[in-house]
Amino acid sequence: MRWKGRRSSRNIEDRRMQSGMGRGGKAGGIGGVGIIAVLVIGYFLGVDVTPLLQSSGGGQVASQGGEITEADKQAGEFVSVVLGDTEEVWAEIFNDQVGRPYKPATLVLFKGGTQSPCGGASGASGPFYCPADKKAYLDTEFFTTLSRRMGASGDFAAAYVVAHEIAHHVQNELGILGQANKIRQQVSQAESNAISVRIELQADCLSGVWARYAQARFNSLEKGDLKEAINAAKQIGDDTLQRNAGRRPNPHSFTHGTSEQRQRWFTTGYEKATVQGCDTFSTDRL
């Protein structure tokens, strides 16, 4: 991915020098995830890494914080540029397709742990979007987890993660996310899960829209970049995650969609390049 030399976003809140969960931190503010020891990678990314951490002797979340390494600095620069790309792209799309200005999200960088109005987060809890403060939260160490533990390497795979969280902000700005989550609170668990799948697949689709516009605007994609994003979507499909955890896939427990669905909706967004083309709530075929 060609990213160096482009505008960095000013909407970055860097908490990495002051990170640390503190006592009593919880991650249950988003979707009932529960305490941080559950080790869920992001409510909206939805990757439970407990089996992966257990296999490597982990299982507890450490508050790291502390010194910012050179790798941390470069990851922060990368995220800032990708966020800047999303701001320019979604401003253009909102102007052309929605008919009103786009109000960008703030992205919080943390290291080890932090707090949000939606609850606590740790490096293991991974990236998530909090509608309450309209901020996305990211420990860039997640990119290492994505690459080394989950088989989704590459800078555009990392960019897809950022774009996916910003896509939830787009949903929030359009009023979709609030309405969907309100309905989820009023229905059964199975129905809530089904709505969650539609939310996540739409975010994947909107990520594809962003990728198409980013390529047209910045010529940012290199050979193999789309495959990196599509592979990342595959690796975080509910069925693939459950198989990799040694469990038989249980569709009733899916909250983010199968690998095939996530790949297909990202590709749909890239090909159609419209917000309307990402209507996962009206279709009978997810």
Side-chain angles (χ1 to χ4, degrees), residues 77-145:
E77 291 172 4
F78 171 78
V79 169
S80 180
V81 169
V82 174
L83 182 63
D85 287 356
T86 68
E87 291 166 354
E88 293 190 36
V89 163
W90 284 112
E92 179 180 352
I93 294 173
F94 266 57
N95 181 68
D96 294 345
Q97 299 184 26
V98 182
R100 59 182 173 85
Y102 171 69
K103 299 178 181 179
T106 295
L107 194 148
V108 177
L109 292 176
F110 66 92
K111 185 173 183 179
T114 194
Q115 294 289 333
S116 82
C118 295
S122 77
S125 71
F128 66 89
Y129 173 73
C130 180
D133 61 1
K134 297 186 177 182
K135 294 180 180 181
Y137 291 77
L138 173 67
D139 184 337
T140 52
E141 183 63 25
F142 173 72
F143 296 150
T144 301
T145 301

Side-chain angles (χ1 to χ4, degrees), residues 1-4 6 85 88-89 92 156 210-223 225 270:
M1 176 182 176
R2 304 180 189 91
W3 64 273
K4 293 186 177 181
R6 286 208 300 281
D85 287 356
E88 293 190 36
V89 163
E92 179 180 352
F156 203 70
W210 164 78
R212 177 67 174 272
Y213 269 76
Q215 170 61 4
R217 192 178 184 94
F218 309 113
N219 190 31
S220 55
L221 298 188
E222 298 178 299
K223 184 178 180 180
D225 278 349
Y270 188 83

Side-chain angles (χ1 to χ4, degrees), residues 5-84:
R6 286 208 300 281
R7 181 186 72 89
S8 296
S9 173
R10 295 182 178 180
N11 295 309
I12 293 283
E13 184 179 328
D14 197 339
R15 300 181 185 176
R16 289 177 294 179
M17 288 299 293
Q18 59 193 23
S19 288
M21 277 298 296
R23 292 181 296 175
K26 292 186 177 181
I30 308 177
V33 174
I35 61 171
I36 216 55
V38 173
L39 300 180
V40 176
I41 289 190
Y43 171 66
F44 288 116
L45 202 57
V47 182
D48 185 353
V49 295
T50 304
L52 299 175
L53 296 180
Q54 287 175 341
S55 65
S56 61
Q60 296 296 323
V61 178
S63 297
Q64 299 166 5
E67 182 181 357
I68 302 300
T69 66
E70 190 60 36
D72 291 331
K73 292 178 182 178
Q74 180 155 335
E77 291 172 4
F78 171 78
V79 169
S80 180
V81 169
V82 174
L83 182 63

